Coordinates of all heavy atoms in Angstrom, one line a residue:
T1 N -155.8 43.1 18.5 CA -155.8 44.6 18.4 C -154.4 45.1 18.8 O -153.9 44.8 19.9 CB -156.9 45.2 19.3 OG1 -158.1 44.7 19.0 CG2 -156.9 46.7 19.2
L2 N -153.9 45.9 18.0 CA -152.6 46.5 18.2 C -152.8 48.0 18.5 O -153.4 48.7 17.7 CB -151.6 46.3 17.0 CG -150.2 46.9 17.2 CD1 -149.5 46.2 18.3 CD2 -149.5 46.7 15.8
E3 N -152.3 48.5 19.6 CA -152.5 49.9 20.0 C -151.2 50.7 19.6 O -150.2 50.1 19.4 CB -152.7 50.0 21.5 CG -154.0 49.4 22.0 CD -154.2 49.5 23.5 OE1 -153.6 50.4 24.1 OE2 -155.0 48.7 24.0
Q4 N -151.4 52.0 19.5 CA -150.3 52.9 19.2 C -149.4 52.9 20.4 O -149.8 53.0 21.5 CB -150.8 54.3 18.9 CG -149.7 55.3 18.5 CD -149.1 54.9 17.1 OE1 -149.8 54.6 16.2 NE2 -147.8 54.8 17.1
N5 N -148.1 52.9 20.1 CA -147.1 52.9 21.2 C -147.1 54.2 21.9 O -147.6 55.2 21.4 CB -145.7 52.6 20.7 CG -145.2 53.7 19.7 OD1 -145.8 54.0 18.7 ND2 -144.1 54.3 20.1
Y6 N -146.6 54.2 23.1 CA -146.6 55.5 23.9 C -145.3 55.4 24.8 O -145.0 54.4 25.3 CB -147.9 55.8 24.7 CG -148.2 54.7 25.7 CD1 -147.7 54.8 27.1 CD2 -148.9 53.6 25.4 CE1 -148.0 53.9 28.0 CE2 -149.2 52.6 26.3 CZ -148.7 52.8 27.6 OH -148.9 51.8 28.6
P7 N -144.6 56.5 25.0 CA -144.8 57.8 24.2 C -144.4 57.6 22.8 O -143.6 56.7 22.5 CB -143.9 58.8 24.9 CG -142.9 57.9 25.6 CD -143.5 56.6 26.0
N8 N -144.8 58.5 21.9 CA -144.4 58.4 20.5 C -144.4 59.9 20.0 O -145.5 60.5 20.0 CB -145.4 57.6 19.7 CG -144.9 57.4 18.3 OD1 -143.7 57.3 18.0 ND2 -145.8 57.3 17.3
P9 N -143.3 60.4 19.7 CA -141.9 59.9 19.6 C -141.4 59.5 21.0 O -141.9 59.9 22.0 CB -141.0 61.0 19.1 CG -142.0 62.1 18.6 CD -143.3 61.8 19.3
F10 N -140.4 58.6 21.1 CA -139.9 58.1 22.3 C -138.3 58.2 22.4 O -137.7 58.2 21.4 CB -140.3 56.7 22.6 CG -139.7 55.6 21.7 CD1 -138.6 54.9 22.1 CD2 -140.2 55.4 20.4 CE1 -138.0 54.0 21.4 CE2 -139.6 54.4 19.6 CZ -138.5 53.7 20.1
N11 N -137.8 58.2 23.6 CA -136.4 58.0 23.9 C -136.3 58.0 25.5 O -136.8 58.9 26.1 CB -135.6 59.2 23.4 CG -134.1 59.1 23.7 OD1 -133.7 58.1 24.3 ND2 -133.3 60.1 23.4
P12 N -135.8 57.0 26.1 CA -135.1 55.8 25.5 C -136.0 54.6 25.3 O -135.6 53.6 24.6 CB -134.1 55.5 26.5 CG -134.7 55.8 27.8 CD -135.6 57.0 27.5
T13 N -137.2 54.5 25.9 CA -138.1 53.3 25.7 C -139.5 53.7 25.4 O -139.9 54.9 25.6 CB -138.2 52.5 27.0 OG1 -138.8 53.3 28.1 CG2 -136.8 52.0 27.5
T14 N -140.2 52.8 24.8 CA -141.6 53.0 24.5 C -142.4 51.7 24.9 O -141.8 50.6 25.0 CB -141.8 53.3 23.0 OG1 -143.2 53.7 22.8 CG2 -141.5 52.1 22.1
T15 N -143.7 51.9 25.1 CA -144.6 50.8 25.5 C -145.5 50.4 24.4 O -146.1 51.3 23.8 CB -145.4 51.2 26.8 OG1 -144.5 51.5 27.9 CG2 -146.3 50.0 27.2
I16 N -145.6 49.1 24.1 CA -146.5 48.6 23.1 C -147.5 47.7 23.7 O -147.1 46.8 24.5 CB -145.7 47.9 22.0 CG1 -144.7 48.8 21.3 CG2 -146.6 47.2 21.0 CD1 -143.7 48.1 20.4
R17 N -148.8 48.0 23.5 CA -149.9 47.1 24.0 C -150.7 46.5 22.9 O -150.9 47.1 21.8 CB -150.8 48.0 24.9 CG -150.3 48.5 26.1 CD -151.2 49.4 26.9 NE -152.6 49.0 26.9 CZ -153.2 48.4 28.0 NH1 -152.5 48.2 29.1 NH2 -154.4 48.0 27.9
Y18 N -151.1 45.3 23.2 CA -151.9 44.5 22.2 C -152.8 43.6 22.9 O -152.6 43.2 24.1 CB -151.1 43.8 21.2 CG -150.2 42.7 21.7 CD1 -150.6 41.4 21.8 CD2 -148.9 43.0 22.2 CE1 -149.8 40.4 22.3 CE2 -148.1 42.1 22.7 CZ -148.5 40.8 22.8 OH -147.7 39.8 23.3
T19 N -153.9 43.2 22.2 CA -154.9 42.3 22.8 C -155.2 41.2 21.8 O -155.3 41.4 20.6 CB -156.2 43.1 23.1 OG1 -156.0 44.1 24.0 CG2 -157.3 42.1 23.7
T20 N -155.2 40.0 22.3 CA -155.6 38.8 21.5 C -157.0 38.3 22.0 O -157.3 38.3 23.2 CB -154.6 37.7 21.6 OG1 -154.4 37.3 23.0 CG2 -153.2 38.1 21.1
Q21 N -157.8 37.9 21.1 CA -159.2 37.5 21.4 C -159.3 36.0 21.8 O -160.2 35.6 22.4 CB -160.1 37.7 20.2 CG -160.2 39.2 19.8 CD -160.7 40.1 20.9 OE1 -161.6 39.7 21.7 NE2 -160.0 41.2 21.1
K22 N -158.3 35.2 21.4 CA -158.2 33.8 21.7 C -156.8 33.3 21.7 O -155.9 34.1 21.3 CB -159.0 33.0 20.7 CG -158.5 33.1 19.3 CD -159.4 32.3 18.3 CE -158.9 32.5 16.9 NZ -159.7 31.8 15.9
E23 N -156.6 32.1 22.2 CA -155.2 31.6 22.2 C -154.7 31.5 20.8 O -155.3 30.8 20.0 CB -155.1 30.3 23.0 CG -153.7 29.7 23.1 CD -153.7 28.4 23.9 OE1 -154.4 27.5 23.5 OE2 -153.0 28.4 24.9
E24 N -153.5 32.1 20.5 CA -153.0 32.1 19.2 C -151.5 32.2 19.2 O -150.9 32.6 20.2 CB -153.5 33.3 18.4 CG -155.0 33.2 18.1 CD -155.5 34.3 17.2 OE1 -155.3 35.5 17.6 OE2 -156.0 34.0 16.2
N25 N -150.8 31.8 18.1 CA -149.4 32.1 17.9 C -149.3 33.6 17.6 O -149.9 34.1 16.7 CB -148.8 31.2 16.8 CG -148.8 29.8 17.2 OD1 -148.4 29.4 18.3 ND2 -149.1 28.9 16.2
V26 N -148.5 34.3 18.4 CA -148.3 35.7 18.3 C -146.8 36.0 18.0 O -145.9 35.5 18.6 CB -148.7 36.4 19.6 CG1 -148.4 37.9 19.5 CG2 -150.2 36.2 19.9
T27 N -146.7 36.8 16.9 CA -145.3 37.4 16.6 C -145.4 38.9 16.6 O -146.3 39.4 15.9 CB -144.9 36.9 15.2 OG1 -144.9 35.4 15.2 CG2 -143.5 37.4 14.9
L28 N -144.6 39.5 17.3 CA -144.5 41.0 17.3 C -143.1 41.4 17.0 O -142.2 41.0 17.8 CB -144.9 41.6 18.7 CG -144.9 43.1 18.9 CD1 -145.9 43.8 17.9 CD2 -145.3 43.5 20.3
A29 N -142.9 42.1 15.9 CA -141.5 42.4 15.5 C -141.4 43.9 15.1 O -142.4 44.5 14.8 CB -141.2 41.6 14.3
V30 N -140.2 44.4 15.2 CA -139.9 45.8 14.8 C -139.1 45.8 13.5 O -138.2 45.0 13.4 CB -139.2 46.5 15.9 CG1 -138.8 47.9 15.6 CG2 -139.9 46.5 17.2
F31 N -139.5 46.7 12.6 CA -138.8 46.8 11.3 C -138.3 48.3 11.1 O -138.9 49.2 11.6 CB -139.8 46.5 10.2 CG -140.3 45.1 10.2 CD1 -141.4 44.8 11.0 CD2 -139.7 44.1 9.5 CE1 -141.8 43.5 11.0 CE2 -140.1 42.8 9.5 CZ -141.2 42.5 10.3
N32 N -137.2 48.4 10.4 CA -136.7 49.8 10.1 C -137.4 50.3 8.9 O -138.3 49.7 8.4 CB -135.2 49.8 9.9 CG -134.7 48.9 8.8 OD1 -135.5 48.6 7.9 ND2 -133.4 48.6 8.8
A33 N -137.1 51.5 8.5 CA -137.8 52.2 7.5 C -137.7 51.5 6.1 O -138.5 51.8 5.2 CB -137.4 53.7 7.4
I34 N -136.7 50.7 5.9 CA -136.6 50.0 4.6 C -137.1 48.5 4.7 O -136.8 47.7 3.8 CB -135.1 50.1 4.0 CG1 -134.1 49.4 5.0 CG2 -134.8 51.5 3.7 CD1 -132.7 49.3 4.4
G35 N -137.8 48.2 5.8 CA -138.4 46.9 5.9 C -137.6 45.8 6.5 O -138.1 44.6 6.4
Q36 N -136.4 46.0 7.0 CA -135.6 45.0 7.6 C -136.0 44.8 9.0 O -136.2 45.7 9.8 CB -134.1 45.4 7.6 CG -133.5 45.6 6.2 CD -132.2 46.2 6.2 OE1 -131.9 47.2 7.0 NE2 -131.3 45.7 5.4
K37 N -136.2 43.5 9.4 CA -136.6 43.2 10.8 C -135.4 43.5 11.6 O -134.3 42.9 11.4 CB -137.0 41.7 10.9 CG -137.5 41.5 12.3 CD -137.9 40.0 12.6 CE -138.5 39.2 11.6 NZ -138.8 37.9 12.0
V38 N -135.5 44.3 12.7 CA -134.4 44.6 13.6 C -134.6 44.0 15.0 O -133.6 43.8 15.7 CB -134.2 46.1 13.7 CG1 -133.8 46.7 12.4 CG2 -135.5 46.8 14.2
R39 N -135.8 43.6 15.3 CA -136.1 43.1 16.7 C -137.3 42.2 16.7 O -138.4 42.7 16.1 CB -136.2 44.2 17.7 CG -136.4 43.8 19.1 CD -135.0 43.4 19.8 NE -135.2 42.9 21.1 CZ -135.0 43.7 22.2 NH1 -134.6 44.9 22.1 NH2 -135.1 43.1 23.4
T40 N -137.3 41.1 17.3 CA -138.4 40.3 17.5 C -138.7 40.4 19.0 O -137.9 40.0 19.9 CB -138.2 38.8 17.2 OG1 -137.9 38.7 15.8 CG2 -139.4 37.9 17.4
L41 N -139.9 40.9 19.3 CA -140.3 41.2 20.7 C -141.1 40.0 21.3 O -140.9 39.7 22.5 CB -141.1 42.4 20.9 CG -140.3 43.7 20.4 CD1 -141.3 44.9 20.4 CD2 -139.2 44.0 21.4
V42 N -141.9 39.4 20.5 CA -142.7 38.2 20.9 C -142.7 37.2 19.8 O -142.9 37.6 18.6 CB -144.2 38.6 21.3 CG1 -145.0 37.4 21.6 CG2 -144.2 39.7 22.4
D43 N -142.6 35.9 20.1 CA -142.8 34.9 19.1 C -143.1 33.6 19.9 O -142.3 32.7 20.1 CB -141.5 34.7 18.3 CG -141.7 33.7 17.2 OD1 -142.8 33.4 16.8 OD2 -140.6 33.3 16.6
Q44 N -144.4 33.5 20.3 CA -144.9 32.4 21.1 C -146.4 32.3 21.0 O -147.1 33.2 20.7 CB -144.4 32.5 22.5 CG -145.0 33.7 23.2 CD -144.4 33.9 24.6 OE1 -143.3 33.5 24.9 NE2 -145.1 34.5 25.5
K45 N -146.9 31.2 21.5 CA -148.3 31.0 21.6 C -148.7 31.7 22.9 O -148.1 31.5 24.0 CB -148.7 29.5 21.7 CG -150.1 29.2 21.6 CD -150.3 27.7 21.4 CE -151.7 27.5 20.8 NZ -151.9 26.1 20.3
Q46 N -149.8 32.5 22.9 CA -150.3 33.2 24.0 C -151.8 33.0 24.2 O -152.5 33.0 23.2 CB -150.0 34.7 23.9 CG -148.5 35.0 23.9 CD -148.2 36.5 23.9 OE1 -148.9 37.2 23.2 NE2 -147.2 36.9 24.7
P47 N -152.2 32.9 25.5 CA -153.7 32.9 25.7 C -154.3 34.2 25.4 O -153.6 35.2 25.4 CB -153.8 32.5 27.2 CG -152.5 32.9 27.8 CD -151.5 32.8 26.7
A48 N -155.6 34.2 25.3 CA -156.4 35.5 25.1 C -156.1 36.4 26.2 O -155.9 36.0 27.4 CB -157.9 35.2 25.0
G49 N -156.0 37.7 25.9 CA -155.7 38.7 26.9 C -155.0 39.9 26.4 O -154.8 40.1 25.2
T50 N -154.8 40.9 27.3 CA -154.1 42.1 26.9 C -152.7 42.1 27.4 O -152.4 41.7 28.6 CB -154.9 43.3 27.5 OG1 -156.2 43.4 27.0 CG2 -154.2 44.7 27.2
Y51 N -151.8 42.5 26.6 CA -150.3 42.4 26.9 C -149.7 43.8 26.7 O -150.1 44.6 25.9 CB -149.6 41.4 26.0 CG -150.2 40.0 26.2 CD1 -151.3 39.6 25.5 CD2 -149.6 39.1 27.1 CE1 -151.8 38.3 25.7 CE2 -150.1 37.9 27.3 CZ -151.2 37.4 26.6 OH -151.7 36.2 26.8
S52 N -148.7 44.0 27.5 CA -147.9 45.3 27.4 C -146.4 45.0 27.5 O -146.0 44.2 28.4 CB -148.4 46.2 28.5 OG -147.7 47.4 28.5
L53 N -145.6 45.5 26.7 CA -144.2 45.3 26.8 C -143.5 46.6 26.4 O -144.0 47.5 25.8 CB -143.8 44.2 25.9 CG -144.1 44.2 24.4 CD1 -143.0 44.9 23.6 CD2 -144.3 42.8 23.9
Q54 N -142.2 46.7 26.7 CA -141.4 47.8 26.4 C -140.3 47.5 25.4 O -139.8 46.4 25.4 CB -140.7 48.4 27.7 CG -141.7 49.1 28.6 CD -141.0 50.0 29.6 OE1 -139.9 49.7 30.1 NE2 -141.5 51.2 29.8
W55 N -140.0 48.4 24.5 CA -138.9 48.3 23.6 C -137.9 49.4 23.9 O -138.3 50.6 24.0 CB -139.4 48.4 22.1 CG -138.3 48.2 21.1 CD1 -137.3 47.2 21.1 CD2 -138.0 49.1 20.1 NE1 -136.5 47.4 20.1 CE2 -136.8 48.5 19.4 CE3 -138.5 50.2 19.5 CZ2 -136.3 49.1 18.3 CZ3 -138.0 50.8 18.4 CH2 -136.9 50.3 17.8
D56 N -136.7 49.0 23.9 CA -135.6 49.9 24.4 C -134.8 50.5 23.2 O -133.8 51.1 23.4 CB -134.7 49.3 25.3 CG -134.0 48.0 24.7 OD1 -134.2 47.7 23.5 OD2 -133.3 47.3 25.5
G57 N -135.3 50.4 22.0 CA -134.5 50.9 20.8 C -133.3 50.1 20.4 O -132.5 50.6 19.6
C58 N -133.2 48.9 20.9 CA -132.1 48.0 20.5 C -132.6 46.9 19.6 O -133.7 46.5 19.6 CB -131.5 47.4 21.8 SG -130.7 48.6 22.9
D59 N -131.6 46.4 18.8 CA -131.9 45.3 17.9 C -131.8 43.9 18.7 O -131.6 43.9 19.9 CB -131.0 45.3 16.7 CG -129.5 45.1 17.0 OD1 -129.2 44.7 18.1 OD2 -128.7 45.3 16.1
D60 N -131.9 42.8 18.0 CA -131.9 41.5 18.6 C -130.6 41.2 19.2 O -130.5 40.4 20.2 CB -132.2 40.4 17.6 CG -133.7 40.3 17.3 OD1 -134.5 40.5 18.2 OD2 -134.1 39.8 16.2
A61 N -129.5 41.9 18.8 CA -128.2 41.7 19.4 C -127.9 42.6 20.6 O -126.8 42.5 21.2 CB -127.1 41.9 18.3
G62 N -128.9 43.5 20.9 CA -128.7 44.4 22.0 C -128.0 45.7 21.6 O -127.6 46.5 22.5
V63 N -127.8 45.9 20.3 CA -127.1 47.1 19.9 C -128.2 48.2 19.7 O -129.2 48.0 19.1 CB -126.4 46.9 18.5 CG1 -125.8 48.1 18.0 CG2 -125.4 45.8 18.7
S64 N -127.9 49.4 20.3 CA -128.8 50.5 20.2 C -128.9 51.0 18.7 O -127.9 51.2 18.0 CB -128.3 51.7 21.1 OG -129.2 52.8 21.0
L65 N -130.1 51.1 18.2 CA -130.3 51.6 16.9 C -130.3 53.1 16.7 O -130.4 53.8 17.8 CB -131.7 51.0 16.4 CG -131.8 49.5 16.3 CD1 -133.3 49.1 16.1 CD2 -130.9 48.9 15.3
S66 N -130.2 53.6 15.5 CA -130.2 55.0 15.3 C -131.6 55.5 15.4 O -132.6 54.8 15.2 CB -129.6 55.3 13.9 OG -130.3 54.7 12.9
G67 N -131.7 56.8 15.6 CA -133.0 57.4 15.7 C -133.7 57.4 14.3 O -133.0 57.3 13.3
G68 N -135.0 57.4 14.2 CA -135.7 57.4 13.0 C -137.1 56.8 13.1 O -137.6 56.6 14.2
V69 N -137.6 56.5 11.9 CA -139.0 55.9 11.9 C -138.8 54.4 11.9 O -138.0 53.8 11.1 CB -139.7 56.4 10.6 CG1 -141.0 55.6 10.4 CG2 -139.9 57.9 10.6
Y70 N -139.6 53.7 12.7 CA -139.7 52.3 12.8 C -141.1 51.9 12.7 O -142.0 52.6 13.0 CB -139.0 51.8 14.1 CG -137.5 52.0 14.1 CD1 -137.0 53.2 14.5 CD2 -136.7 51.0 13.6 CE1 -135.6 53.4 14.5 CE2 -135.3 51.2 13.6 CZ -134.8 52.4 14.0 OH -133.4 52.6 14.0
F71 N -141.3 50.6 12.3 CA -142.7 50.0 12.3 C -142.7 48.8 13.1 O -141.7 48.1 13.2 CB -143.0 49.7 10.8 CG -143.1 50.8 9.9 CD1 -141.9 51.3 9.2 CD2 -144.2 51.6 9.7 CE1 -141.9 52.4 8.4 CE2 -144.3 52.7 8.9 CZ -143.1 53.1 8.2
Y72 N -143.8 48.6 13.8 CA -144.0 47.3 14.5 C -145.2 46.6 14.0 O -146.2 47.2 13.7 CB -144.0 47.6 16.1 CG -145.1 48.5 16.6 CD1 -146.2 48.1 17.3 CD2 -144.9 49.9 16.4 CE1 -147.1 48.9 17.8 CE2 -145.8 50.8 16.9 CZ -146.9 50.3 17.6 OH -147.9 51.2 18.1
Q73 N -145.1 45.3 13.9 CA -146.1 44.5 13.3 C -146.4 43.3 14.2 O -145.5 42.7 14.7 CB -145.6 43.9 11.9 CG -146.5 43.0 11.2 CD -145.9 42.3 10.1 OE1 -144.9 41.5 10.3 NE2 -146.4 42.5 8.9
I74 N -147.7 43.1 14.3 CA -148.2 41.9 15.1 C -148.9 41.0 14.1 O -149.6 41.4 13.2 CB -149.1 42.3 16.2 CG1 -149.4 41.1 17.1 CG2 -150.4 42.9 15.7 CD1 -150.0 41.4 18.5
R75 N -148.6 39.7 14.3 CA -149.3 38.6 13.6 C -149.8 37.7 14.6 O -149.1 37.2 15.5 CB -148.4 37.8 12.7 CG -147.9 38.6 11.5 CD -147.0 37.8 10.6 NE -146.5 38.6 9.5 CZ -146.4 38.2 8.3 NH1 -146.7 37.0 8.0 NH2 -146.0 39.0 7.3
A76 N -151.2 37.6 14.6 CA -151.8 36.7 15.6 C -152.8 35.8 14.8 O -153.8 36.4 14.3 CB -152.5 37.5 16.7
G77 N -152.6 34.6 14.7 CA -153.4 33.7 13.8 C -153.4 34.2 12.4 O -152.3 34.4 11.8
A78 N -154.6 34.5 11.8 CA -154.6 35.0 10.4 C -154.6 36.6 10.4 O -154.7 37.1 9.3 CB -155.9 34.5 9.8
S79 N -154.6 37.2 11.5 CA -154.6 38.7 11.6 C -153.2 39.3 11.6 O -152.3 38.8 12.2 CB -155.4 39.2 12.8 OG -156.7 38.7 12.8
T80 N -153.1 40.5 10.9 CA -151.8 41.2 10.9 C -152.2 42.7 11.0 O -153.1 43.2 10.4 CB -151.1 41.0 9.6 OG1 -150.8 39.6 9.4 CG2 -149.8 41.8 9.6
S81 N -151.4 43.4 11.8 CA -151.6 44.8 12.0 C -150.2 45.5 12.1 O -149.3 44.9 12.7 CB -152.4 45.1 13.2 OG -152.7 46.5 13.4
V82 N -150.1 46.7 11.6 CA -148.8 47.5 11.6 C -149.0 48.9 12.1 O -150.0 49.5 11.7 CB -148.1 47.5 10.2 CG1 -146.9 48.3 10.2 CG2 -147.9 46.1 9.7
K83 N -148.1 49.4 12.9 CA -148.1 50.8 13.4 C -146.8 51.4 13.2 O -145.7 50.7 13.2 CB -148.5 50.9 14.8 CG -149.9 50.3 15.2 CD -151.0 51.3 15.0 CE -152.3 50.7 15.5 NZ -153.4 51.5 15.2
K84 N -146.7 52.7 13.1 CA -145.5 53.5 13.0 C -145.1 54.1 14.3 O -146.0 54.6 15.0 CB -145.7 54.5 11.9 CG -144.4 55.4 11.6 CD -144.6 56.2 10.4 CE -145.5 57.4 10.7 NZ -145.5 58.4 9.6
M85 N -143.8 54.2 14.6 CA -143.3 54.9 15.7 C -142.0 55.6 15.4 O -141.3 55.3 14.4 CB -143.0 53.9 16.9 CG -142.1 52.9 16.7 SD -142.0 51.8 18.1 CE -141.3 50.3 17.3
I86 N -141.7 56.6 16.2 CA -140.5 57.5 15.9 C -139.6 57.4 17.1 O -140.0 57.7 18.2 CB -140.9 58.9 15.6 CG1 -141.8 59.0 14.4 CG2 -139.7 59.8 15.4 CD1 -142.4 60.3 14.1
Y87 N -138.3 57.0 16.9 CA -137.3 56.9 17.9 C -136.4 58.2 17.8 O -135.8 58.4 16.8 CB -136.5 55.7 17.7 CG -135.4 55.4 18.7 CD1 -135.4 55.9 19.9 CD2 -134.4 54.5 18.3 CE1 -134.4 55.6 20.8 CE2 -133.4 54.2 19.2 CZ -133.4 54.7 20.5 OH -132.4 54.4 21.4
L88 N -136.4 59.0 18.8 CA -135.6 60.2 18.8 C -134.3 59.9 19.6 O -134.4 59.4 20.7 CB -136.3 61.4 19.5 CG -137.6 61.9 18.8 CD1 -138.2 63.0 19.6 CD2 -137.2 62.4 17.4
K89 N -133.2 60.3 19.1 CA -131.9 60.1 19.8 C -131.3 61.5 20.0 O -131.4 62.4 19.3 CB -131.0 59.2 19.0 CG -131.3 57.8 19.3 CD -130.2 56.9 18.8 CE -129.6 56.2 20.1 NZ -128.6 55.3 19.8

């Protein structure tokens, strides 16, 4: 289960929560409005549970991104879910 980030819109950070029902390979990534992956937040096997992490509006290189609409996607086993968030600068 992927929850809506909060706060949304956000500046400078937002919190993303998700829950896995069993131990699975989990990938959580952030994409810009044209579908380019800008940040990988999680890419590992995780036990069942609820997780919470913060995103600071930076890409994988640590560069602050411009304000706008972003999407975050989780893949856990065969399940995929996507949510939209707004980064205000």
Side-chain angles (χ1 to χ4, degrees):
T1 305
L2 182 61
E3 297 180 21
Q4 186 62 52
N5 66 301
Y6 62 91
N8 188 31
F10 72 96
N11 182 2
T13 63
T14 190
T15 300
I16 299 171
R17 290 176 45 101
Y18 62 94
T19 302
T20 58
Q21 301 300 319
K22 59 184 180 179
E23 183 176 57
E24 296 184 298
N25 291 319
V26 175
T27 303
L28 179 62
V30 178
F31 298 84
N32 62 20
I34 60 172
Q36 298 168 318
K37 187 186 324 182
V38 295
R39 181 82 182 260
T40 301
L41 299 170
V42 177
D43 189 12
Q44 65 186 26
K45 190 169 199 168
Q46 293 184 321
T50 299
Y51 298 87
S52 179
L53 55 90
Q54 287 197 323
W55 180 50
D56 59 3
C58 292
D59 66 12
D60 280 331
V63 176
S64 182
L65 297 169
S66 61
V69 175
Y70 291 88
F71 297 89
Y72 56 107
Q73 177 190 62
I74 191 167
R75 290 180 184 224
S79 300
T80 301
S81 183
V82 177
K83 300 273 186 189
K84 179 171 76 170
M85 60 184 158
I86 300 172
Y87 181 24
L88 295 179
K89 276 195 116 172

